[in-house]
Amino acid sequence: MKLRFPALSRRLVLLGAVLPVALVAAVLIWAVSGTTPSQNAGAGTSRTPSTSSTSSASSTSSTSSASSTSSTSSPPTSLPKPGLRQGSGGGGGRPVSPTLASRRYPVHTGIVATTFWVGEIFDPNAADGSQVISTYDSSWEVHYGGCDGIVSSRRCATEKRLAPTFFPRHMKPRQNPFYLDLPFDDVNDAAAFKRRCAVVPWASDPGYAGHCTDPNFSYMKNRWVRMTGATGRVCYGQIEDAGPGQYNDAAYVFGANNARPVNARYGGAGMDVSPALNGCLGMTQLDGDTDRLSWKFVDAGNVPRGPWKVLVTTRGVLNQ
């Protein structure tokens, strides 16, 4: 510091003759500190690690929370934000098109619904007689967590489901127990696969577009459906298989004017529903073919809070 003051004095004498006192004071500060005001400002704005660390910690915490929610059966604390798609076969949680807010899906009324469940084998000699696998998952029972019911005499049987959750009472599922099927197999049925992008209404939406010829992508798996039972109960579920009886009935599945299924088997059923949906809808039979309901597609952002949101299935096609 002593070596710098002689030079500083000479500067002040010259500057004092032509500059205001205020400017001299500013020069004095510069000479002593060796920094400029802009440098000091830069040093101040660089002290933001604490804010960044907080954001990072918050983000990590949110991610951990989301993971734990999807892997347990605890009730959800909040619903997904409108405009986010969950479990869309390949779209995951990507933003959906703004046009979806105004998209209307046709309602199918008076449709016969039968009940099926993961692990069921109702006809071991039929190609479609087992629910150990699904058209979208060659290890469905394993990935689901086991028999979606009760094992009796080495047989996977169904069971009555109770409110308020309608979850299985003898096992803990790893995927959404509110599942169903519709007769359009867009992966394994060659004709349905060939025309799926021409008939599926959401084929061009973000998360779906560009997968028309991808055999490992489904436009149907994990899509949401709204159902109304004979007593007026409204429940929601996700598509996790195809059937019953037919696998390319696009005219019914996507058709307007209350289109009817072409299937003549199982009482002319137009869909299968899980035991959880059976209980939720108040169906009169645990495993019959006389119950009827109404249904329509619904976008994920419009699915309300309920037991069907406790555990949402997000995995895509898992055939090996």
Side-chain angles (χ1 to χ4, degrees), residues 170-186:
H170 296 88
M171 60 89 69
K172 185 176 181 179
R174 298 174 185 168
Q175 298 178 357
N176 194 349
F178 289 78
Y179 55 85
L180 63 132
D181 67 15
L182 287 172
F184 188 77
D185 179 357
D186 74 316

Side-chain angles (χ1 to χ4, degrees), residues 10 23 59 73 76 123 151 162 164 200 207 300 310:
R10 288 193 296 272
L23 186 55
S59 175
S73 298
D123 186 351
V151 178
L162 305 175
V200 176
V310 172

Side-chain angles (χ1 to χ4, degrees), residues 222-244:
N222 300 336
R223 288 295 300 194
W224 285 95
V225 172
R226 181 186 191 271
M227 290 150 282
T228 304
T231 61
R233 294 184 185 178
V234 176
C235 306
Y236 294 77
Q238 291 181 275
I239 298 172
E240 299 300 335
D241 200 2

Side-chain angles (χ1 to χ4, degrees), residues 84-94 96 136-137 186-187 196 200 202 205-209 211 214-224 238-241 300 312-319:
L84 292 182
R85 177 184 294 112
Q86 293 194 352
S88 54
R94 298 180 183 180
V96 300
Y136 306 118
D137 188 345
D186 74 316
V187 171
R196 60 183 186 171
V200 176
W202 51 87
D205 290 351
Y208 291 93
H211 290 280
D214 183 355
N216 296 310
F217 185 93
S218 171
Y219 288 85
M220 299 295 290
K221 189 179 189 303
N222 300 336
R223 288 295 300 194
W224 285 95
Q238 291 181 275
I239 298 172
E240 299 300 335
D241 200 2
V312 176
T313 302
T314 59
R315 285 180 133 182
V317 175
L318 292 169
N319 288 332

Side-chain angles (χ1 to χ4, degrees), residues 5-284:
F5 274 102
L8 175 61
S9 299
R10 288 193 296 272
R11 290 182 187 178
L12 292 178
V13 170
L14 293 173
L15 292 172
V18 294
L19 296 177
V21 175
L23 186 55
V24 173
V27 174
L28 176 61
I29 294 173
W30 167 77
V32 174
S33 63
T35 60
T36 65
S38 62
Q39 286 175 321
N40 282 329
T45 56
S46 68
R47 290 194 295 172
T48 56
S50 59
T51 302
S52 176
S53 297
T54 302
S55 300
S56 176
S58 175
S59 175
T60 302
S61 175
S62 300
T63 303
S64 300
S65 175
S67 298
S68 62
T69 300
S70 64
S71 61
T72 65
S73 298
S74 57
T77 57
S78 62
L79 294 180
K81 295 180 179 179
L84 292 182
R85 177 184 294 112
Q86 293 194 352
S88 54
R94 298 180 183 180
V96 300
S97 169
T99 60
L100 294 188
S102 59
R103 178 180 287 163
R104 293 176 178 270
Y105 296 104
V107 179
H108 303 269
T109 63
I111 300 298
V112 173
T114 54
T115 302
F116 74 149
W117 55 94
V118 177
E120 173 194 19
I121 301 178
F122 66 90
D123 186 351
N125 297 316
D128 58 355
S130 171
Q131 305 308 148
V132 172
I133 63 175
S134 83
T135 195
Y136 306 118
D137 188 345
S138 58
S139 299
W140 193 21
E141 185 177 19
V142 173
H143 293 147
Y144 184 81
C147 167
D148 186 23
I150 183 170
V151 178
S152 177
S153 300
R154 302 177 65 180
R155 175 175 172 267
C156 177
T158 189
E159 61 180 356
K160 184 177 179 62
R161 298 297 169 83
L162 305 175
T165 67
F166 303 103
F167 266 52
R169 295 150 56 192
H170 296 88
M171 60 89 69
K172 185 176 181 179
R174 298 174 185 168
Q175 298 178 357
N176 194 349
F178 289 78
Y179 55 85
L180 63 132
D181 67 15
L182 287 172
F184 188 77
D185 179 357
D186 74 316
V187 171
N188 293 301
D189 185 278
F193 177 83
K194 184 177 180 178
R195 66 170 175 163
R196 60 183 186 171
C197 280
V199 297
V200 176
W202 51 87
S204 297
D205 290 351
Y208 291 93
H211 290 280
C212 293
T213 59
D214 183 355
N216 296 310
F217 185 93
S218 171
Y219 288 85
M220 299 295 290
K221 189 179 189 303
N222 300 336
R223 288 295 300 194
W224 285 95
V225 172
R226 181 186 191 271
M227 290 150 282
T228 304
T231 61
R233 294 184 185 178
V234 176
C235 306
Y236 294 77
Q238 291 181 275
I239 298 172
E240 299 300 335
D241 200 2
Q246 298 288 323
Y247 302 95
N248 186 26
D249 193 0
Y252 157 61
V253 174
F254 308 110
N257 302 317
N258 206 11
R260 317 312 292 172
V262 299
N263 177 47
R265 300 161 64 189
Y266 321 118
M271 67 191 315
D272 290 312
V273 299
S274 69
L277 282 168
N278 180 301
C280 181
L281 292 164
M283 294 173 69
T284 60

